[in-house]
Amino acid sequence: MSSRSIQSAAWRLLACAGLGCTHADAQDEPTPVRAPVAITDLDPDPAVMRAVLVAEPAEVEYLPGTTAAVWAYRDGGDPSALASVPGPLIRVARGTTIEIELRNALPVETTIHWHGLRVPAAQDGTPSAQVPVPPGGRFTYRFEARDAGTFWFHPHVAADVQIERGLYGALVVDDDAAPAGSFDADRVFVLDDVKLDADGTLSTTTDALDRMLGRQGNVLLVDGVRRPSLPVRGGARERWRFVNAANGRYFRLRLQGARWLELASDGGPLPQARPVDTVLLVPGERRELAVELPAADAGPLVLETLHTDRGHDIPDPGPLPLMDVVLEDDREPLPPLVWNGPAIAPLPVPEAAATREVVLSEDDEDASDPRFYIDGLAFPETSPIMVPAGTVERWRVRNDAEMDHPLHVHGLFFQPLADGAPDLARGWKDTINIPRRTSVELVARFDNVGQWMVHCHILEHAERGMMTMLHVMP
Ligand code: C2O
Ligand code: CU
């Protein structure tokens, strides 16, 4: 890239520092998609994945010709590996024993939380589960990949800072819901947005809007790259797995010109693949799609994110481009997708209207210092939710606030209710949007004993109070 185009990219950043503005359109040359690289498995036993993740300061190029100082994960089992955002991909078969050693080369303490995985409580990587790993320290996480699905991992200490700095990666547990050969490719796209200064470095200022809405960046990233380009065969069918790793941004995905079938939700494969036009992905959520591409003469397609009105008058910037999909020579036509998703048994919904109410609220009297509450209190003042192991509870999560909050429950999956019955078409969930001034109902069996976290996955909200503990008591 010439220095003139660097200057013009910098100028565009400066000229447009508002919330609604992003620079995904300030593209000069297409950067190819950079799929996360699979981590090195140091154990020859196929039933065991043993690997090392080093968390360390690193540099990445978010804007061409510039460098941003980040914190990132590196594959400690590969001497030639560099730290990357997102970190290495952990991919295993269901039932695999996973043993990951975290080596902390950061100047601050950290942990790894395995978002969505049903791990033993002591391996969950939260402050209620372990003493954070100090700089220079190590900790080995051990658990079994019990469920198929697309999951992710990230720190659970000062998450608003550490995830924003680049500490996150995807973890895929494969399923067998589609016969071999059903897809021409199986891809993982971790979505994020970063707030960059004009010189391409990560902005260190957190303003009142960031605190209120969750920090929205001015540069959108797909697997750590601003508006990458993805070459695909015309007429191909691919499997795309999306993770929303952003602090606060809601992605509403659309790929006009292609056909989408939703295959899997947070907790793995859906019973039936169902056609969708757009997909809303709130922070922390995952979704998998079958993407059926048109013939190459349809021309290039653009994966976009559409505006979501999530309260407080967030301005609508219109559709924003995330990735260019470039159709190359056509493949021969594929037979229709056969999808054998596992049946999901509905949980027995307790008769009582709600066995528990959880209330989300905010105090924005001082707009520069908003506070966020669960049941009227800010963590750690909240009183833990106590549930005897084995109990099925029906929760009504009531959002009294003026904005949406994506609620995440650790250690289990729940079933969202629609008109009082489990909405099985949505599959098993661990993260769900609670629209403002609305209640959402869900049902869960609390069978994973231990101390877990429940919180809003807008990271600024969680760190500013909207978090509590869940004790599943033996
Ligand atoms: Cu992805 Cu408690 O977090
Ligand atoms: Cu929130």
Side-chain angles (χ1 to χ4, degrees):
M1 188 186 214
S2 72
S3 68
R4 186 150 169 266
S5 56
I6 292 172
Q7 273 175 9
S8 72
W11 183 84
R12 275 181 291 236
L13 269 176
L14 277 178
C16 184
L19 243 186
C21 192
T22 74
H23 300 274
D25 53 347
Q27 188 77 359
D28 294 285
E29 293 149 33
T31 313
V33 152
R34 202 173 55 213
V37 177
I39 201 164
T40 308
D41 183 357
L42 299 168
D43 195 313
D45 180 350
V48 180
M49 149 70 73
R50 187 164 59 80
V52 178
L53 276 176
V54 184
E56 65 184 15
E59 284 188 340
V60 297
E61 192 183 88
Y62 283 138
L63 294 184
T66 68
T67 49
V70 298
W71 291 344
Y73 293 116
R74 169 166 66 79
D75 177 0
D78 173 0
S80 66
L82 298 174
S84 59
V85 180
L89 171 68
I90 301 174
R91 185 160 203 158
V92 297
R94 199 168 154 211
T96 304
T97 298
I98 299 181
E99 215 180 281
I100 306 278
E101 182 185 296
L102 163 65
R103 294 191 191 148
N104 184 6
L106 300 170
V108 296
E109 59 181 28
T110 193
T111 62
I112 300 180
H113 165 57
W114 311 95
H115 184 127
L117 287 130
R118 296 190 296 157
V119 303
Q123 309 300 312
D124 199 43
T126 66
S128 68
Q130 71 173 115
V131 178
V133 183
R138 297 173 180 213
F139 185 89
T140 300
Y141 295 91
R142 272 189 203 85
F143 51 88
E144 192 196 316
R146 289 171 63 185
D147 304 294
T150 300
F151 306 102
W152 64 301
F153 53 94
H154 62 73
H156 223 286
V157 178
D160 56 337
V161 174
Q162 297 199 3
I163 297 178
E164 173 63 9
R165 290 254 192 145
L167 291 167
Y168 58 79
L171 191 159
V172 171
V173 182
D174 283 305
D175 61 60
D176 50 12
S182 298
F183 302 104
D184 293 302
D186 183 328
R187 307 181 193 273
V188 179
F189 295 119
V190 187
L191 306 179
D192 193 7
D193 59 349
V194 281
K195 188 173 165 189
L196 299 186
D197 288 331
D199 60 0
T201 60
L202 279 176
S203 168
T204 50
T205 53
T206 304
D207 58 29
L209 267 182
D210 295 339
R211 287 189 286 272
M212 177 62 83
L213 302 173
R215 194 223 21 69
Q216 294 212 136
N218 51 9
V219 171
L220 305 180
L221 300 174
V222 177
D223 287 337
V225 175
R226 180 183 58 139
R227 195 169 178 175
S229 113
L230 174 72
V232 294
R233 303 279 303 272
R237 181 167 56 226
E238 299 197 345
R239 181 169 183 169
W240 291 4
R241 300 162 185 268
F242 288 102
V243 178
N244 183 352
N247 282 34
R249 181 176 294 270
Y250 283 35
F251 289 91
R252 187 183 289 278
L253 304 170
R254 177 175 76 179
L255 182 64
Q256 274 180 318
R259 178 164 181 262
W260 275 4
L261 295 166
E262 194 174 34
L263 301 180
S265 169
D266 295 338
L270 299 171
Q272 260 105 40
R274 60 166 182 181
V276 288
D277 292 324
T278 62
V279 164
L280 175 66
L281 210 62
V282 301
E285 257 191 319
R286 289 90 59 214
R287 204 69 49 81
E288 299 176 29
L289 303 171
V291 181
E292 296 184 344
L293 294 148
D297 60 15
L301 312 179
V302 183
L303 177 70
E304 302 173 297
T305 180
L306 308 179
H307 178 62
T308 302
D309 176 11
R310 59 185 179 94
H312 283 310
D313 301 319
I314 299 187
D316 180 355
L320 300 172
L322 282 170
M323 179 170 77
D324 294 300
V325 178
V326 182
L327 296 164
E328 296 178 345
D329 46 272
D330 290 336
R331 72 159 351 273
E332 62 285 4
L334 277 158
L337 176 68
V338 176
W339 183 254
N340 298 311
I344 298 179
L347 288 169
V349 181
E351 293 279 318
T355 41
R356 189 179 301 277
E357 191 166 58
V358 176
V359 181
L360 312 177
S361 62
E362 68 193 32
D363 174 1
D364 54 8
E365 207 134 295
D366 177 356
S368 68
D369 184 28
R371 304 298 304 173
F372 300 91
Y373 305 121
I374 292 187
D375 294 337
L377 295 169
F379 188 77
E381 270 92 61
T382 51
S383 36
I385 298 169
M386 314 279 277
V387 184
T391 314
V392 173
E393 286 201 357
R394 173 178 187 173
W395 286 16
R396 178 187 295 130
V397 186
R398 203 178 86 207
N399 183 352
D400 283 351
E402 296 302 332
M403 64 183 301
D404 295 13
H405 294 285
L407 189 81
H408 172 43
V409 184
H410 286 215
L412 54 80
F413 299 116
F414 51 80
Q415 294 176 351
L417 299 185
D419 299 323
D423 186 1
L424 300 178
R426 297 175 71 185
W428 290 104
K429 298 286 297 164
D430 57 58
T431 307
I432 190 170
N433 192 42
I434 316 289
R436 59 192 178 282
R437 298 273 170 217
T438 301
S439 295
V440 168
E441 282 200 295
L442 51 94
V443 62
R445 174 171 280 122
F446 294 80
D447 51 8
N448 207 347
V449 169
Q451 302 193 5
W452 307 96
M453 313 299 295
V454 174
H455 60 92
C456 176
H457 219 288
I458 292 178
L459 302 173
E460 286 76 4
H461 295 179
E463 297 295 332
R464 299 180 74 79
M466 197 175 277
M467 173 142 78
T468 193
M469 298 248 287
L470 163 69
H471 286 196
V472 180
M473 301 174 295

